[in-house]
Amino acid sequence: MPMKIEGGPFKARVEEALHNDFMRGAVRRAQDGLRGRKLAATNEDRDFEDWEAWRQAGEAVRRHTIENLDYYLEQLSENVEARGGHVFFAATAEEATAYIRQVVKAKDAKRIIKSKSMVTEEISLNAALEADGCEVVETDLGEYILQLDDHEPPSHLVAPAVHKNQAQIRELYAKKIGYTATEKPEEITAHTRKVLRETFLHADIGITGCNFAVAETGTVTLLTNEGNADLATSLPKTQISVMGMERLVPTWEDLDILVSLLSRSAVGQRLATYVTALTPGREEGSVDGPEDFHLVIVDAGRSKALGTEFQDVLHCIRCGACINVCPVYRHIGGHAYGSIYQGPIGAVLSPILGDSDAFKTLPFASSLCGACTEACPVGIPLHEQLVAHRRAIVEDHGEAPWFEKLAMRGFGAAAAKPERFARAGGTVRLAKPLARAWTAEREFPAPARTTFRKWFEERKGAGR
């Protein structure tokens, strides 16, 4: 199962995370910083007019696109192929990696650079290409750091190495690539640039993800702050873009709305530093750009959500805003989720895209406070979808814990007859000692000193 990361059962991962004080501190600082910058660029930005109106516009674009997904995928495919590009629809992760391996083999390529792609994490593309003898280099700074650290998985959608500090990164660089300068971010970044620049110049193939494809022109767009996507798509002669089947918009006008929402919600910028648009077909006289373009459109479980109560999760634009307000993520970080998709969106998405049995605990990793829904720039009702997952797990699959089943049966029997219900009212106090596992992490509501019926009879007898 490609999108699952190792680390034992969910409770064991949570326990480990709760004892990692450094990670929890780093996550808190990252959450506060990203959330603060988002608020400054949205609700508090007087030049941005009405943020809620933009959210509604973004939701409308995403809803229309997903409800007409087959039409726009066909339009996108036709426009890419009309310009000389190749399109491959992959039903599974295995089909996607098999096609890309086939292209790499046909080109006799050995050096591959990558940029901006969670979906290639999802399909375990690096491992597949490295098994074929290829050198695959991530060029986003955070992803590059994690790759050096023995392919450590990301812990945040837009800040994958958020759990590491400067000293740890300096130590890692010294061990892996002979770095000798200080832990200053400027020096670490400059060294990374120098190393990666040589890699860019000698790469055979560039592989990227896709923030949004534009159906009306067959264009793939990428939003970055480092400029590496521009090099990854312009220097190699062969370009492969890998996108989830839902990551498209009908028109450039629609793209304008979503680019604004994504830039502001992800990192609090009015606009990403680089907005790269890649349309296949190298024009005569061009001095750069790929000569051969492949677009791999990945399903890998997404179509299971179409037509169900979970369809809205396909509206996600991967900004991570829900993660930055989640109280659960704040305490356990990203790796505890056991999925490459963390936080509220990961808890909804992982059981759909991955093995539902492996991720069945994630929907319960939520306080259901609704902060994720409020933060989502395209209005996905995340906390409601978490409740829907819980209902499906308990009712459809019968996987409620034994003590919950026993408690519900007891309540059902007591509530069936008024006299039983009256007698059971005085036994609530006995439940507290039986709920030790539940009360270990939360307060047990103090039961009333008397039942309502008894209280009512007493007041009635006293003539009040």
Side-chain angles (χ1 to χ4, degrees):
M1 183 173 42
M3 60 185 292
K4 189 176 188 307
I5 61 177
E6 298 301 326
F10 178 66
K11 287 188 176 180
R13 295 194 302 269
V14 169
E15 192 67 26
E16 181 181 350
L18 291 175
H19 289 87
N20 188 339
D21 293 336
F22 167 76
M23 180 277 294
R24 296 177 67 194
V27 166
R28 282 198 299 272
R29 288 190 292 276
Q31 270 195 324
D32 293 342
L34 289 169
R35 180 172 177 271
R37 288 199 287 275
K38 183 210 169 191
L39 289 174
T42 55
N43 302 66
E44 299 169 6
D45 186 352
R46 295 180 180 177
D47 296 331
F48 194 50
E49 301 174 1
D50 187 346
W51 169 244
E52 289 303 320
W54 277 86
R55 286 184 73 202
Q56 292 171 14
E59 179 184 0
V61 170
R62 293 304 292 147
R63 187 171 303 282
H64 171 79
T65 304
I66 300 303
E67 289 177 350
N68 299 277
L69 191 58
D70 55 344
Y71 173 81
Y72 289 117
L73 281 173
E74 184 174 356
Q75 185 184 31
L76 171 69
S77 171
E78 289 176 351
N79 282 325
V80 169
E81 292 179 336
R83 291 174 176 271
H86 308 277
V87 179
F88 180 76
F89 284 92
T92 64
E94 290 76 17
E95 286 186 12
T97 54
Y99 176 81
I100 296 168
R101 291 169 74 179
Q102 178 186 327
V103 173
V104 171
K105 184 177 181 180
K107 299 291 181 181
D108 195 24
K110 295 297 180 185
R111 292 162 297 191
I112 296 167
I113 52 173
K114 283 183 61 205
S115 172
K116 197 69 178 180
S117 178
M118 282 300 293
V119 73
T120 58
E121 290 277 348
E122 187 182 318
I123 64 175
S124 296
L125 182 60
N126 285 15
L129 294 176
E130 287 170 352
D132 290 343
C134 296
E135 178 191 13
V136 184
V137 179
E138 298 284 353
T139 61
D140 293 284
L141 179 58
E143 295 286 355
Y144 178 69
I145 292 169
L146 296 180
Q147 186 179 34
L148 285 181
D149 200 1
D150 300 326
H151 301 271
E152 187 179 20
S155 63
H156 190 286
L157 278 180
V158 298
V162 69
H163 55 286
K164 292 185 179 297
N165 65 14
Q166 298 162 220
Q168 289 174 323
I169 295 170
R170 187 206 173 280
E171 184 180 350
L172 176 68
Y173 271 39
K175 180 179 177 182
K176 298 288 186 173
I177 55 174
Y179 180 69
T180 57
T182 74
E183 62 186 48
K184 290 182 178 177
E186 297 85 352
E187 295 186 10
I188 291 176
T189 304
H191 187 78
T192 307
R193 182 179 184 276
K194 181 180 178 182
V195 172
L196 289 182
R197 185 54 59 102
E198 289 300 315
T199 306
F200 278 118
L201 292 173
H202 297 96
D204 299 313
I205 291 179
I207 298 178
T208 72
C210 167
N211 284 112
F212 305 104
V214 184
E216 68 175 349
T217 56
T219 302
V220 168
T221 64
L222 295 157
L223 277 65
T224 67
N225 284 320
E226 301 169 22
N228 54 319
D230 284 29
L231 290 174
T233 57
S234 59
L235 292 179
K237 292 183 178 179
T238 301
Q239 162 67 26
I240 302 173
S241 291
V242 189
M243 60 175 277
M245 61 184 279
E246 80 283 15
R247 300 304 300 276
L248 75 167
V249 292
T251 68
W252 285 89
E253 287 74 17
D254 297 326
L255 178 71
D256 182 34
I257 296 170
L258 294 183
V259 165
S260 295
L261 292 173
L262 177 57
S263 301
R264 292 171 186 264
S265 299
V267 291
Q269 290 176 282
R270 291 185 173 183
L271 187 64
T273 307
Y274 298 90
V275 179
T276 304
L278 181 65
T279 306
R282 187 169 174 173
E283 295 181 358
E284 187 175 352
S286 297
V287 296
D288 57 21
E291 297 172 357
D292 191 17
F293 177 83
H294 297 258
L295 177 61
V296 181
I297 302 174
V298 180
D299 181 338
R302 288 163 174 77
S303 57
K304 289 190 296 186
L306 291 173
T308 74
E309 58 189 328
F310 298 110
Q311 180 167 305
D312 285 358
V313 78
L314 299 179
H315 299 176
C316 178
I317 60 174
R318 304 291 193 275
C319 67
C322 61
I323 297 175
N324 298 332
V325 297
C326 178
V328 175
Y329 178 88
R330 189 177 186 86
H331 287 287
I332 66 175
H335 290 158
Y337 287 84
S339 169
I340 63 165
Y341 297 115
Q342 318 83 17
I345 186 62
V348 175
L349 200 57
S350 299
I352 298 171
L353 300 187
D355 183 341
S356 59
D357 189 57
F359 295 117
K360 64 184 179 185
T361 54
L362 294 189
F364 295 91
S366 170
S367 65
L368 299 180
C369 63
C372 48
T373 297
E374 186 179 337
C376 179
V378 290
I380 302 172
L382 286 163
H383 72 292
E384 294 178 8
Q385 299 222 327
L386 288 169
V387 173
H389 266 308
R390 294 183 184 188
R391 183 203 54 73
I393 291 168
V394 172
E395 295 184 3
D396 299 347
H397 302 291
E399 299 208 6
W402 66 268
F403 55 90
E404 286 188 14
K405 291 181 180 177
L406 184 63
M408 289 301 107
R409 285 177 185 170
F411 178 79
K417 301 280 186 181
E419 57 274 18
R420 290 185 195 167
F421 189 78
R423 287 198 298 270
T427 64
V428 173
R429 294 172 185 278
L430 300 177
K432 186 172 183 179
L434 300 176
R436 286 176 182 166
W438 195 84
T439 56
E441 299 174 3
R442 52 180 76 80
E443 293 294 328
F444 189 87
R449 295 184 177 181
T450 183
T451 66
F452 172 76
R453 289 172 181 272
K454 188 176 180 181
W455 171 86
F456 184 77
E457 290 298 327
E458 289 174 353
R459 290 177 65 86
K460 184 178 177 183
R464 288 182 289 177

